[in-house]
Amino acid sequence: MKALVYKSTGSWYVVKATDLARWPEGPKTFKARIKGVLKIGGITSTNPVAVGDWVEIEEEHDSDDTVMIAAVYDRNNYVARQSPGNKNQHHIISSNLDQSMLICTLKDPKTSQGFIDRFLVSCEAFHVPAIIVFNKADIYKQKQLDAYAEWKNTYEACGYKVLLASVQQGLGMVEVRELLINKTTMLSGHSGVGKSSIINHVFPSFTLRTTEVSDWSGKGMHTTTFAEMFDLPSGGRIIDTPGLREFGLTNIEKNELSHYYPEMRALINDCQFNNCMHINEPGCAVKAAVAAGSIHSDRYYSYLNILESIQKKTW
Ligand code: GDP
Ligand code: ZN
């Protein structure tokens, strides 16, 4: 039977299966373990099964609510980060995403542009469309409103959707709701930016944060370190990734980075050298665009910063 993975702790999983004949009241939730060794084609991953995966489950004769995961279906996409224990391995955070939504703020706390750009580069690399929501508009002064207007222009020109929001004032809430309905969305952002407040405001019958549960081993593992997927009351799903500040890329090459900046990607064939890194090579179309103002200089600086961190292998 096919089931969808809602939670993964690395050793056990929560999956939901739909079979209206057996469970007319709605999908049935199971705890699941992996059966034997699962090999997932081509990916070296520390976690073979991720939140968002469709899996094949086998029910156990002696148990009503536990199942075995026998296979994982092909993923449409996935996002991954470096495995904390082994830098050469991926840790898949979630899969089969329609989009990701980054909640950020320009004040209390201010989300850095470097963080936003790293997030966007990751989304590009994993082929996940990104939405950026600037929350807490009610406390923005003219300075932050001006900054917002500038970033909205810049990021929208790159193809990202950008919204201004305030939970306090109800600003942007209808738009956020419409964007989330009937989609599977990964929700990201530093803690304190208002992720839970937004979701709880947009879907009042829903509470994002879950309570602590214990691991099967009884060690009292905290759920919030793991990604978890939730069904939204009006259709659609949210993947919450608490504790995950950003997802770094493992295998991104220096000369690939500009492909993940849409405004640079458009110009790559115009550079004099086809291996141009857009640093100080002659005839560089990207640098010319920065000088002409058609590429935002802060985007270009974030590009250089990320390039440097790839070189130092700190990202
Ligand atoms: P999370 O960690 O991203 O889930 O953030 P929370 O939803 O817990 O919000 C963090 C703090 O920001 C709380 O004190 C919220 O009341 C506050 N907050 C959330 N949204 C807004 C907003 O639009 N305006 C203001 N002024 N405060 C907000
Ligand atoms: Zn160039």
Side-chain angles (χ1 to χ4, degrees), residues 189-203:
H190 288 309
S191 82
V193 295
K195 291 184 295 297
S196 337
S197 306
I198 290 176
I199 298 305
N200 297 339
H201 187 276
V202 168
F203 301 104

Side-chain angles (χ1 to χ4, degrees), residues 135-136 138-139 166-168 190-197 209:
N135 189 37
K136 305 198 185 183
D138 55 288
I139 57 166
S166 162
V167 179
Q168 234 80 330
H190 288 309
S191 82
V193 295
K195 291 184 295 297
S196 337
S197 306
R209 290 284 175 263

Side-chain angles (χ1 to χ4, degrees), residues 271 276 278 284-285:
C271 290
C276 187
H278 327 299
C284 173

Side-chain angles (χ1 to χ4, degrees), residues 296-308:
H296 198 296
S297 56
D298 287 346
R299 284 277 286 171
Y300 178 65
Y301 293 132
S302 85
Y303 166 79
L304 293 178
N305 272 330
I306 296 177
L307 203 61
E308 197 182 317

Side-chain angles (χ1 to χ4, degrees), residues 179-192:
L179 287 166
L180 296 176
I181 283 175
N182 294 330
K183 296 267 171 60
T184 298
T185 307
M186 186 171 94
L187 194 65
S188 303
H190 288 309
S191 82

Side-chain angles (χ1 to χ4, degrees), residues 41-58:
I43 301 169
T44 319
S45 167
T46 48
N47 59 330
V49 176
V51 168
D53 277 346
W54 285 98
V55 293
E56 188 61 29
I57 55 168
E58 290 173 2

